[in-house]
Amino acid sequence: MNWRRLLDHPSLALGLAATLAFALLGLASLIWTPYPIADIAISRRFLVPDASHLLGTDHLGRDMLSLIMAGTLTSFTVGAAAVAIGVGIGVPMGLVAAMWGGPVDWVAMRISDLAFAFPSVIIAILIATLIGPGATNAIIAIGIFNIPVFARVARGGALALSSLDFIGAARLAGLGKAAIAWRHILPNIMSLIIVQGTIQLSLGILAEAGLSYIGLGTQPPATSLGLMLRDAQSLFLIHPSLSLLPGLAIVLIVVALNIAGDGLRDALDPRLRRQELA
Amino acid sequence: MRATKSLALAMAGLLLATGLACAQSTEIRIGVALEPPALDPTAGAAEAIDVVVYQNIFEGLTRIDQTGAVQPGLATAWTITEDGLSYRFTLAQGVTFHDGTSFDAEDVKFTFERLLADDSVNAQKALYQSIAAVTVIDPQTVEITLSRPDGLFLFNLGRGDAVIVAPESADNNANEPIGTGPFAFVQWDRGSRVILEQYGPYWGEKPALTKASYVFISDTATMTNALLAGDIDGTNNFAPEALAVFEGNPQFKVLVGSTEGETILATNNARAPFDTLAVRQAMAHAINRHDIIEGATYGYGVPIGSHFAPHHPYYVDLTETYPFDLDAAKTLLAGAGYPEGFSATLKLPPVAYARLSGQIIASEFAKIGVRLELINMEWAQWLEDVFANKDFDLTIISHVEPFDIGIYANPDYYFGYDNPEVQALNETLNATTDEAQRKVLAQQIQIIIAKDAVNGYLFELAQTGVWNAKLEGMWQNAPIEGVVLHDIHWVE
Amino acid sequence: MLYLLRRLAGFALTLLIAALVIFVLLDLLPGDPARFILGINASADALAALRLQMGLDIPAPARFGNWVWSMLQGDFGVSHTQRAPVAKLIAERMAVTLPLSVFAMAISMAVGLPLGILAARHRGKPLDTALMVMAQGGVAVPNFWFGMLLTLLFAVTLRWLPPGGFTPWYEDGWLALRGLVLPSLALALPQAAILARVMRTALVDVAGQDFIRTARAKGMTYGEAIWRHGVRNALLPVLTILGLQFAYLIAGTIIVENVFYLPGLGRLIFTAISERDLVLVRSATMVLVLAVSATMLVVDLTYALVDPRLRERRA
């Protein structure tokens, strides 16, 4: 995909730009935040936005802008790492299932069923209890949930392609199953995986928020958008901005990701469809 | 058609309910944060059990009133022998359990034998170890003999752990509690609420309320909504951060009272570097009580300088023993051989005051070079790691037992403080019955542990209740765990 | 038939492995259940007595065997913390969780599917754009946050509905129903948004295919063609999503249950884990796994019925 085609899809451009903006905001927190987020000063708490604290301060006197920057990074990291787990394990599983078929397919799909059948929140609670709550725990719990999703996408895509001529040709040319999967199937289902990836990323960010909200995700002194929501929840009627800001940030990030995902699908799909029709 | 009809019915019901609210109500719905796992106060430590049942469903021989004083309960009077070893109780007449069976001296004997039996699962069994024998003199009289004098014995008899149960029903109390109290158990919709109703044949003065529900709402925001929407009439202890919603609202009243909870930065005295006095003193100097109390309790906690409740007559103010002074702290640390400070872990149980205090203390200690890693854990794990296995550096916890300074005389206790002087003083204190002497002894212990900076002394937890402005008779203070319904009533 | 058998065998195997995983995970949890119940002043002999009562002295493999065996016979054991039969505890919570999930599903279908069809019908027009923008927002709002906002509006400000809590069905069905309205809405919003998007995409996809063109060539209007042929053919992806959503709702309502203090299955398990009520957690989690697996099984079987091609390919 080249850049000119990006301009043919204004929503894709918009979604990508917004996602990128948030990602950069988060990444920037690694180098610089207006105030250190572990810096607690009770005397400065609940300040309204002004020149020194652009978004005000929270219940511990921490700068809200700094927290949102750091929280955005955590949310992205958790979501992305969970997608990486899903893609890393799910896609090979789906491909193997589709290429080998028969008992292999059966076993792979049962493993995927198993991973799916475990309610992710309960997995998260159990992991949190075992290794202590934290971002890692959220990553694992959401990642496990992502595995069957990507396995099904990869398997479905591979099955749809396997009946097509060029795969048959590759088979006739004597290529092994692994090679076909790697060279011919994977590149062609990449768009499906990328699209699913953006969806799972946005779901992961929402899931992280939910887990942190019930106290199983990110733990202080680190922060995430979900943890900020949790901290601010009981103060909603007194200091609404403390919940509205992180809530809004979550909504905007997820919308940006979804728009980008939809745009990607629109931009990438025709190619896939043409091949299907060929 | 059916839907329309039920809609109309519901509307009528709503109107009726609004109408009723104007009349004098005798019902109450109380929001409480934690749901009890079971309802037997003699077989579990959960405070949530006592919140529902104590002095409502169950009664003991004595009862604790809202000032923390011991009052007659099922025992209307008692005499104590000169040596303090034998207590003779006269029992109330005409008392029946909620299942109709009558109460007499045999039930008392049964209760304590069950409590002390080998297979007893009473959470406070140790408190009653001094009981040597329970003798039935006649159905209305019972004598308890002790193996050693026990200054707190009458108080302990008034605890939820020692309520009188009947042999016919004791085994089912976890799910269908049957006691002698003014309210009888009606139903328990697990996950939502417990409903109690006034027990008609109650032997004592009748309460004003006829029905009470305890509604379990763990989330503060949800509790706020339930109060504002009138779904509950009050709560005995509301999260201090959101109290501002109700202060100044004429429909509600906020009751701020005391509890027995000394909140401390418990320190593992048996582990380096905390076995060094100077290190503990340095930490004590680095504690900014004002900020912790503001940040963790929104100003409602009362500062403490030792392990003693400020509202107790024996209390000495020791908050200035080690005033907030970062320079002094750094000097002490350097003197102890830690000029650059050190790293340690701070294990925090799942309660808001601990989590918030922990964050604030970590931020303050960083200024003297003490780097704390916060580890949040659940109760089950905290109990095992910190309390049972003593595998911790620092933790934050509120000790809610009344008059519990005796834990400093136990070298096996989790903070590992072993001081023969305190142990000797405590032994004398336990054997002393003279009030003036007891006070002197208790104050000596307070001073020693404050100077030794055994733990970081932070604040006494406050009880912050939020109630409908038309309710009267709630306990403002919490000298013991429980939400006692007896005196609560609606006024116009 | 062979397909059915295989699928059933897979179902049983999934359950057995799930049981093993749950058991092992729970046994590894730190924290002593007896100490949790008796608290910090418990004496050693009281703790020992309680552990004995709870059967914690029996070796793990024997406890696993006993558990699976009694579950097969329909005996879910007795919770030691709550001292009540687990089956009863679960059944009570199911009376909340099941209707809640069903209502949320019903609302999301009632809202999501028609909107999806409407958007597809007006593809590329302002209405489509407006609907899809709304859907984007709907997907992106965290449901617990939305729940809070709903409560503030409908319970605290307008006082139309209770802010939470649940009256048991047997006591007052109407009140019980009212208690489920806001939580169902909170759960349904993102689901409806997802459904609308899936429905629209599926319809747009089939709209370009030959049979729709044929139908139109035969004189049907676009709307008729979509309605007669499109919707039916778009049902497959929608069905998958519905299956996933139901599975999600059954297990994923913990957070919303917390916001509305509903006594649902999710919260039961959540509390039971923190109370180390191992018997209860084990059996209740198994019930959830069973429900989700059964849903997936039904979806797969329906798939095979709707689209025989899949059956051949899989078998």
Side-chain angles (χ1 to χ4, degrees):
Chain A
M1 200 178 89
N2 58 46
W3 290 106
R4 203 167 306 150
R5 275 184 59 194
L6 192 61
L7 292 177
D8 295 340
H9 299 275
S11 65
L12 173 61
L14 182 74
L16 278 182
T19 307
L20 211 64
F22 272 106
L24 285 177
L25 185 74
L27 281 173
S29 75
L30 285 177
I31 312 163
W32 176 84
T33 50
Y35 293 84
I37 62 157
D39 200 6
I40 288 169
I42 301 303
S43 54
R44 285 206 314 257
R45 73 175 165 186
F46 303 132
L47 291 184
V48 290
D50 64 10
S52 57
H53 296 280
L54 287 177
L55 297 177
T57 58
D58 79 341
H59 64 298
L60 293 172
R62 295 175 296 182
D63 180 57
M64 281 296 279
L65 178 60
S66 310
L67 287 173
I68 287 195
M69 288 171 70
T72 303
L73 181 66
T74 316
S75 294
F76 263 106
T77 315
V78 170
V83 168
I85 293 180
V87 171
I89 303 177
V91 169
M93 220 166 94
L95 285 179
V96 165
M99 295 308 294
W100 272 266
V104 179
D105 185 15
W106 189 85
V107 170
M109 283 303 103
R110 293 300 76 77
I111 295 176
S112 139
D113 278 358
L114 185 70
F116 189 77
F118 270 103
S120 56
V121 183
I122 290 169
I123 293 195
I125 302 173
L126 288 177
I127 298 173
T129 321
L130 268 177
I131 64 172
T136 326
N137 149 51
I139 291 173
I140 299 176
I142 303 169
I144 292 178
F145 190 75
N146 279 341
I147 295 173
V149 174
F150 284 100
R152 277 170 187 261
V153 166
R155 180 176 174 276
L159 283 180
L161 285 172
S162 61
S163 58
L164 296 183
D165 294 344
F166 74 104
I167 299 292
R171 213 170 272 147
L172 283 180
L175 274 182
K177 284 175 174 170
I180 294 179
W182 178 249
R183 280 198 223 154
H184 295 285
I185 306 236
L186 193 60
N188 281 299
I189 60 168
M190 219 39 180
S191 60
L192 280 179
I193 294 172
I194 292 172
V195 170
Q196 194 66 45
T198 56
I199 297 174
Q200 295 309 118
L201 181 56
S202 67
L203 286 180
I205 288 174
L206 281 174
E208 195 280 336
L211 289 177
S212 293
Y213 179 75
I214 49 174
L216 300 172
T218 312
Q219 300 293 321
T223 194
S224 78
L225 296 173
L227 183 62
M228 291 177 72
L229 273 185
R230 171 187 170 84
D231 285 344
Q233 204 61 238
S234 54
L235 298 163
F236 187 78
L237 294 174
I238 314 167
H239 303 286
S241 72
L242 297 188
S243 324
L244 290 176
L245 287 171
L248 219 57
I250 293 176
V251 172
L252 288 179
I253 293 173
V254 174
V255 167
L257 274 169
N258 285 344
I259 292 178
D262 282 6
L264 273 177
R265 188 190 348 240
D266 288 350
L268 297 172
D269 239 18
R271 203 158 51 107
L272 193 70
R273 197 168 297 145
R274 264 201 306 280
Q275 279 162 358
E276 265 179 6
L277 294 174
Chain B
M1 186 55 216
R2 261 193 92 121
T4 343
K5 200 172 157 194
S6 52
L7 188 68
L9 268 176
M11 294 300 278
L14 264 178
L15 289 174
L16 203 65
T18 344
L20 275 178
C22 298
Q24 195 82 323
S25 175
T26 56
E27 296 185 9
I28 192 172
R29 292 153 304 170
I30 299 173
V32 290
L34 292 175
E35 176 168 19
L39 292 174
D40 184 352
T42 67
E47 177 191 353
I49 303 175
D50 284 325
V51 163
V52 175
V53 306
Y54 181 68
Q55 288 191 33
N56 299 327
I57 297 177
F58 291 107
E59 296 173 305
L61 288 181
T62 63
R63 68 180 173 85
I64 310 305
D65 71 9
Q66 64 163 313
T67 66
V70 177
Q71 300 289 346
L74 285 171
T76 52
W78 54 82
T79 54
I80 311 171
T81 52
E82 196 74 353
D83 58 4
L85 287 178
S86 182
Y87 290 70
R88 184 176 282 238
F89 296 96
T90 311
L91 304 180
Q93 307 249 3
V95 179
T96 53
F97 284 93
H98 302 148
D99 59 356
T101 57
S102 64
F103 158 83
D104 62 27
E106 289 297 339
D107 295 305
V108 177
K109 187 176 162 68
F110 168 78
T111 295
F112 288 99
E113 278 172 0
R114 175 170 174 265
L115 196 164
L116 293 167
D118 284 341
D119 61 350
S120 157
V121 293
N122 194 296
Q124 303 285 357
K125 193 176 172 184
L127 288 181
Y128 306 94
Q129 290 301 344
S130 60
I131 297 178
V134 180
T135 321
V136 175
I137 309 292
D138 64 56
Q140 247 40 71
T141 315
V142 71
E143 187 177 72
I144 299 183
T145 42
L146 304 184
S147 51
R148 53 182 156 82
D150 182 350
L152 288 173
F153 183 62
L154 285 173
F155 185 93
N156 288 338
L157 286 183
R159 301 176 59 108
D161 309 275
V163 295
I164 303 302
V165 295
E168 295 87 348
S169 50
D171 285 345
N172 296 324
N173 279 345
N175 289 301
E176 273 179 65
I178 292 195
T180 59
F183 290 88
F185 170 80
V186 178
Q187 76 185 59
W188 181 6
D189 302 319
R190 280 175 197 273
S192 345
R193 59 187 181 163
V194 168
I195 299 175
L196 310 182
E197 251 169 23
Q198 195 191 96
Y199 177 57
Y202 179 58
W203 61 277
E205 191 193 331
K206 282 216 181 322
L209 296 172
T210 54
K211 186 179 171 189
S213 329
Y214 287 87
V215 185
F216 309 116
I217 308 175
S218 56
D219 189 283
T220 302
T222 313
M223 183 87 91
T224 312
N225 292 339
L227 282 162
L228 288 175
D231 221 40
I232 51 175
D233 303 311
T235 175
N236 67 317
N237 208 359
F238 186 72
E241 72 259 29
L243 273 180
V245 175
F246 302 100
E247 282 166 340
N249 182 336
Q251 289 177 308
F252 296 95
K253 62 169 127 189
V254 174
L255 292 184
V256 180
S258 61
T259 72
E260 298 298 321
E262 291 84 34
T263 310
I264 59 174
L265 173 68
T267 308
N268 194 341
N269 282 251
R271 193 184 262 192
F274 310 105
D275 51 354
T276 310
L277 176 63
V279 169
R280 299 198 303 267
Q281 288 172 325
M283 295 197 308
H285 273 305
I287 289 173
N288 181 344
R289 270 192 207 96
H290 174 267
D291 273 12
I292 295 171
I293 290 172
E294 270 303 316
T297 74
Y298 287 71
Y300 289 100
V302 180
I304 53 170
S306 185
H307 197 106
F308 220 77
H311 52 84
H312 196 282
Y314 299 174
Y315 174 76
V316 214
D317 184 354
L318 294 161
T319 49
E320 285 304 306
T321 313
Y322 299 107
F324 178 56
D325 183 346
L326 293 180
D327 291 328
K330 280 181 202 154
T331 315
L332 279 163
L333 270 188
Y338 297 95
E340 303 299 318
F342 56 87
S343 297
T345 57
L346 174 54
K347 294 188 170 173
L348 300 171
V351 276
Y353 67 77
R355 298 275 165 95
L356 286 169
S357 305
Q359 271 181 276
I360 299 167
I361 286 176
S363 163
E364 280 168 357
F365 277 22
K367 293 173 192 157
I368 59 164
V370 176
R371 299 167 296 277
L372 295 184
E373 183 198 345
L374 303 179
I375 303 177
N376 290 345
M377 28 181 52
E378 304 171 278
W379 277 122
Q381 200 180 353
W382 186 91
L383 282 168
E384 178 156 304
D385 270 24
V386 177
F387 196 80
N389 297 338
K390 299 166 197 159
D391 176 18
F392 76 109
D393 292 335
L394 298 165
T395 184
I396 293 174
I397 181 74
S398 209
H399 280 260
V400 296
E401 293 296 318
F403 206 91
D404 56 358
I405 202 167
I407 54 180
Y408 287 81
N410 177 0
D412 290 331
Y413 211 59
Y414 74 103
F415 41 72
Y417 176 61
D418 190 355
N419 182 340
E421 193 188 356
V422 169
Q423 288 155 23
L425 281 170
N426 188 61
E427 205 162 314
T428 324
L429 174 67
N430 281 345
T432 310
T433 44
D434 180 76
E435 275 295 305
Q437 264 182 314
R438 280 178 66 85
K439 181 170 178 174
V440 171
L441 289 163
Q443 294 194 335
Q444 277 176 320
I445 302 179
Q446 289 178 56
I447 293 167
I448 295 172
I449 61 172
K451 287 200 166 147
D452 271 354
V454 181
N455 296 309
Y457 300 103
L458 307 178
F459 54 85
E460 191 80 9
L461 273 183
Q463 164 154 289
T464 44
V466 173
W467 301 91
N468 187 307
K470 291 177 181 160
L471 277 171
E472 295 278 353
M474 293 78 64
W475 283 20
Q476 184 155 3
N477 302 321
I480 193 159
E481 292 156 353
V483 174
V484 179
L485 296 168
H486 191 273
D487 296 333
I488 300 180
H489 59 275
W490 290 91
V491 292
E492 266 320 305
Chain C
M1 196 56 216
L2 185 64
Y3 172 68
L4 184 70
L5 277 180
R6 275 196 200 187
R7 195 63 190 76
L8 280 177
F11 178 65
L13 191 70
T14 307
L15 289 184
L16 186 68
I17 297 177
L20 187 64
V21 173
I22 294 170
F23 186 88
V24 171
L25 272 180
L26 283 179
D27 247 44
L28 290 176
L29 289 190
D32 174 359
R35 192 176 284 279
F36 180 84
I37 295 174
L38 295 183
I40 64 173
N41 291 325
S43 59
D45 54 339
L47 283 172
L50 187 58
R51 282 194 198 110
L52 197 69
Q53 260 187 30
M54 295 168 86
L56 289 175
D57 51 331
I58 303 168
R63 272 185 292 137
F64 178 67
N66 289 345
W67 174 52
V68 172
W69 182 239
S70 40
M71 269 209 311
L72 283 176
Q73 294 166 310
D75 175 10
F76 285 62
V78 173
S79 151
H80 283 285
T81 320
Q82 308 203 11
R83 279 178 262 169
V86 169
K88 176 172 163 275
L89 295 174
I90 295 177
E92 283 171 4
R93 301 304 178 101
M94 271 299 185
V96 178
T97 295
L98 262 186
L100 181 62
S101 313
V102 171
F103 291 163
M105 282 287 284
I107 297 174
S108 78
M109 281 164 76
V111 175
L113 295 181
L115 288 185
I117 296 175
L118 201 64
R121 177 97 172 75
H122 297 266
R123 189 188 178 196
K125 296 193 186 129
L127 182 63
D128 177 28
T129 317
L131 284 175
M132 285 306 108
V133 166
M134 275 169 57
Q136 290 285 12
V139 176
V141 176
N143 56 14
F144 56 92
W145 200 58
F146 183 57
M148 278 292 302
L149 299 179
L150 281 178
T151 321
L152 279 179
L153 179 61
F154 291 107
V156 178
T157 312
L158 296 172
R159 297 209 175 190
W160 289 354
L161 291 160
F166 184 75
T167 315
W169 294 103
Y170 62 83
E171 199 175 295
D172 190 332
W174 171 248
L175 281 183
L177 204 60
R178 277 167 56 93
L180 293 180
V181 174
L182 290 182
S184 311
L185 277 177
L187 283 170
L189 171 83
Q191 312 291 341
I194 294 172
L195 266 188
R197 284 162 51 95
V198 172
M199 190 71 198
R200 175 186 174 275
T201 312
L203 278 178
V204 168
D205 273 0
V206 290
Q209 284 177 14
D210 294 345
F211 59 89
I212 296 285
R213 277 185 225 139
T214 316
R216 291 205 65 187
K218 282 182 3 201
M220 282 191 196
T221 64
Y222 178 78
E224 281 171 350
I226 284 289
W227 188 247
R228 292 257 188 95
H229 301 280
V231 173
R232 228 194 99 195
N233 278 284
L235 269 182
L236 214 61
V238 171
L239 197 66
T240 319
I241 295 293
L242 283 179
L244 288 174
Q245 290 192 344
F246 192 71
Y248 163 80
L249 284 174
I250 278 280
T253 53
I254 293 186
I255 297 168
V256 166
E257 282 169 16
N258 254 334
V259 173
F260 293 96
Y261 57 108
L262 291 175
L265 193 57
R267 253 182 70 209
L268 178 74
I269 298 179
F270 187 68
T271 323
I273 292 177
S274 70
E275 292 175 349
R276 294 295 183 276
D277 194 342
L278 302 184
V279 184
L280 177 54
V281 181
R282 249 187 243 150
S283 301
T285 311
M286 259 332 270
V287 169
L288 279 183
V289 171
L290 179 76
V292 175
S293 310
T295 313
M296 298 311 290
L297 181 70
V298 170
V299 169
D300 274 9
L301 293 180
T302 323
Y303 243 78
L305 279 179
V306 174
D307 188 349
R309 277 177 307 164
L310 283 173
R311 184 169 41 196
E312 280 154 26
R313 196 177 279 157
R314 293 191 74 154

